[in-house]
Amino acid sequence: DINWPGTIKDVVVYLVDHGAPGRFRLNESEILEDEELAAWLDTIQSKISGTLTVIYDACESGTFVSQLANPTYSGKRICISSTSDGEQAYFVENGQLSFSSQFWLRVMNGNTVGSSFASAHDAMAWANQHPVLDDDSDGTGDAPANRPLADATYIGAGNPGSLVGPT
């Protein structure tokens, strides 16, 4: 059970490591199944008043998108995967050429989640890696013109800056 002090509005869940269809490796001996993560997210979502943003960067992360969708929370949940079904996630040059690096660089420079996703999506074209964003809880990737929640959501203060991306 979640017992957070005070009122929590928005929550960001970021997962990065090894993945497989419907599975995320937490550590050497523990695997998180997509159904279990979906239940955890529903519990979190029921306790907050704002937006739950989930970013998952791993091979096969696209297999989670349909499972994490929950129409009850349409307009309050953003699910992002760094790959589509059946794809590998690339972390090249010590992670500098990765979906995460490109996404978080834009977030840290004050861009919206939608804009940060679009930039990271385009940056991964070299690897034939196709990230997915679902912000209407229909379980599918949304067209760029149909991302109103992601395009209005900021992580952090949303203030443009000149920060350097993750290393």
Side-chain angles (χ1 to χ4, degrees):
D1 192 31
I2 299 172
N3 293 310
W4 287 324
T7 302
I8 303 296
K9 182 178 178 199
D10 301 314
V11 172
V12 175
V13 175
Y14 175 56
L15 304 164
V16 61
D17 202 341
H18 295 288
R23 306 179 90 196
F24 172 71
R25 187 180 81 170
L26 292 169
N27 58 42
E28 291 295 325
S29 61
E30 294 179 287
I31 300 294
L32 176 61
E33 302 286 339
D34 55 1
E35 297 92 0
E36 187 174 12
L37 177 59
W40 290 354
L41 296 176
D42 290 346
T43 299
I44 291 169
Q45 191 95 52
S46 72
K47 307 280 185 182
I48 66 172
S49 62
T51 301
L52 173 61
T53 303
V54 181
I55 302 115
Y56 179 25
D57 192 354
C59 297
E60 300 281 355
S61 58
T63 62
F64 273 61
V65 174
S66 62
Q67 183 66 36
L68 301 185
N70 185 331
T72 302
Y73 302 112
S74 180
K76 295 182 84 177
R77 184 179 292 181
I78 302 168
C79 294
I80 294 174
S81 66
S82 67
T83 71
S84 292
D85 293 1
E87 292 182 348
Q88 300 295 305
Y90 291 91
F91 294 83
V92 179
E93 296 295 324
N94 295 320
Q96 292 301 308
L97 293 176
S98 67
F99 176 84
S100 286
S101 178
Q102 299 302 310
F103 177 81
W104 291 112
L105 175 63
R106 272 58 176 201
V107 166
M108 289 188 302
N109 279 299
N111 294 338
T112 66
V113 170
S115 175
S116 299
F117 171 83
S119 293
H121 178 280
D122 293 349
M124 295 312 296
W126 67 270
N128 205 28
Q129 182 175 327
H130 304 93
V132 176
L133 182 149
D134 175 23
D135 75 348
D136 60 8
S137 285
D138 68 356
T140 63
D142 297 324
N146 188 29
R147 295 186 185 143
L149 180 60
D151 287 338
T153 300
Y154 292 88
I155 296 174
N159 295 321
S162 57
L163 301 174
V164 177
T167 59

